[in-house]
Amino acid sequence: MIAFPVPATTTTRFAVAAEHVPHDLTGVLRDAAGPYAAHIAGRLGSPHLEVVREDLTTLRWDPRGIRAPRAEDRRRERAFQDAPEFAVVTACAPITDQPRAVQVARAAAFHLSAALGGVPADLVTGHVLTPPAEERTRFVLADQWLGDVLPPFRANGRCTAPDPDRDPEGVNGCSCVRLRTRGLRRFGLPELQITDVACPHDLAALNVLRTAARRLLTDHWSWLSTGPAGRTREIDADLPLAEADFNAFWGGRRTHLAPPSPFQVRLTFLTPRLLAVAPPDDIPGTVNDWLYGEALPLGMYDVLHSPAPTPQAA
């Protein structure tokens, strides 16, 4: 078993960078429309939803640390880093108020972004955000909540390990890749990490992390719904993952995973805020043998972005 502390409250922050940010941000947010308008109005001014104007003379964080997870967002990254003023949205809410609290806060940030012509960013993941038409009412972990981004394939050209499809020795040809989630802490969970991954297996490793994160989050909210008296939670170190967990990450879209499914991962306690994801004890070889072998469903190697919705019958 693995035990970790569960906080009573968590804090999450979003920022909107713009050329001009008015001092009366509350007034701007009171004009918000959409499914979160009533929530924004009801929480404004409380610890559940605070909004402040900051400029370069008052910042206690560095805008240069905010990055674009996708190449097509590089211009937004530069605009955020070069902006002179910011609107910062903070939500400090009970753990039992998640995920609604963070969704309301991000909906407020998206509204400010539209009103100010600015660029929103998630200060927990450290990424600029691509606003949707509106924050959807149903929580979907794939909606930029996890900070899940792949490192440059082949370590920006520095890695010379052979591809396993051409050379069997390439399965363990390198150990360049380390992946870590950023964002689970705002839901009261430790972050997840997988290490010593060879460059060709990075997408499979990322999808293992995604699926494990979604499963842990589902179980976590079920545990919280029981009203536990204590603030320490115990979970089994052996975590079975199924096709439903992978699909749940994407919001329930029906992505078929070729067998075997379910598959097992082993969680290891590193710190109270970080768990390692690894093969189960009965799988021989390295993490790369596991990722490239027959233990994982084939779909883990294929899906980087959200699959297209399944067409509905007429």
Side-chain angles (χ1 to χ4, degrees):
M1 302 295 290
I2 290 176
F4 57 87
V6 177
T9 62
T10 59
T11 299
T12 192
R13 288 185 175 89
F14 303 94
V16 177
E19 288 298 317
H20 173 68
V21 175
H23 288 274
D24 183 19
L25 290 169
T26 298
V28 178
L29 283 177
R30 292 202 184 279
D31 293 333
Y36 290 97
H39 293 281
I40 291 172
R43 296 175 184 232
L44 264 176
S46 75
H48 294 189
L49 188 63
E50 295 181 330
V51 56
V52 297
R53 177 190 177 277
E54 297 184 354
D55 58 34
L56 296 177
T57 65
T58 59
L59 286 183
R60 291 178 292 176
W61 51 277
D62 188 354
R64 293 172 297 179
I66 302 300
R67 302 294 182 184
R70 305 182 306 169
E72 54 265 38
D73 289 330
R74 293 288 188 266
R75 182 176 297 179
R76 297 167 60 79
E77 174 189 291
R78 291 192 296 270
F80 187 95
Q81 294 175 351
D82 294 341
E85 299 178 4
F86 301 86
V88 179
V89 179
T90 303
C92 180
I95 197 66
T96 51
D97 192 27
Q98 303 297 357
R100 178 54 54 87
V102 295
Q103 289 182 286
V104 172
R106 196 170 74 169
F110 285 153
H111 177 76
L112 289 173
S113 173
L116 305 178
V119 178
D122 185 335
L123 299 188
V124 174
T125 63
H127 290 162
V128 295
L129 295 169
T130 303
E134 63 183 26
E135 181 75 37
R136 67 168 123 190
T137 55
R138 185 167 59 93
F139 179 82
V140 176
L141 190 56
D143 287 350
Q144 306 178 83
W145 289 111
L146 199 55
D148 55 338
V149 59
L150 288 176
F153 184 64
R154 292 297 191 185
N156 266 344
R158 295 188 298 271
C159 180
T160 59
D163 192 296
D165 290 334
R166 299 183 179 181
D167 183 347
E169 296 300 321
V171 171
N172 288 295
C174 70
S175 56
C176 296
V177 178
R178 183 188 74 172
L179 300 174
R180 181 182 293 184
T181 63
R182 289 191 294 179
L184 288 178
R185 69 187 189 194
R186 62 180 136 212
F187 305 118
L189 280 173
E191 302 293 346
L192 300 179
Q193 174 178 283
I194 189 169
T195 61
D196 299 322
V197 175
C199 290
H201 317 314
D202 57 356
L203 180 53
L206 177 63
N207 280 325
V208 168
L209 279 192
R210 288 167 164 175
T211 309
R214 179 65 256 194
R215 173 59 187 272
L216 287 177
L217 200 52
T218 300
D219 292 349
H220 192 57
W221 285 333
S222 295
W223 178 77
L224 287 170
S225 70
T226 66
R231 284 296 165 190
T232 298
R233 185 173 171 216
E234 288 191 346
I235 60 174
D236 198 320
D238 293 313
L239 187 68
L241 302 176
E243 183 175 307
D245 301 310
F246 185 65
N247 287 336
F249 174 82
W250 296 108
R253 296 179 177 88
R254 298 187 60 82
T255 302
H256 177 65
L257 294 184
S261 181
F263 63 98
Q264 296 278 342
V265 303
R266 177 81 172 175
L267 301 176
T268 304
F269 183 90
L270 297 176
T271 75
R273 297 184 179 182
L274 184 63
L275 303 180
V277 173
D281 291 342
D282 60 354
I283 297 292
T286 68
V287 64
N288 295 308
D289 293 320
W290 175 56
L291 292 171
Y292 193 67
E294 297 180 354
L296 298 191
L298 294 178
M300 291 288 171
Y301 302 90
D302 301 328
V303 181
L304 177 57
H305 301 297
S306 180
T310 303
Q312 299 296 314

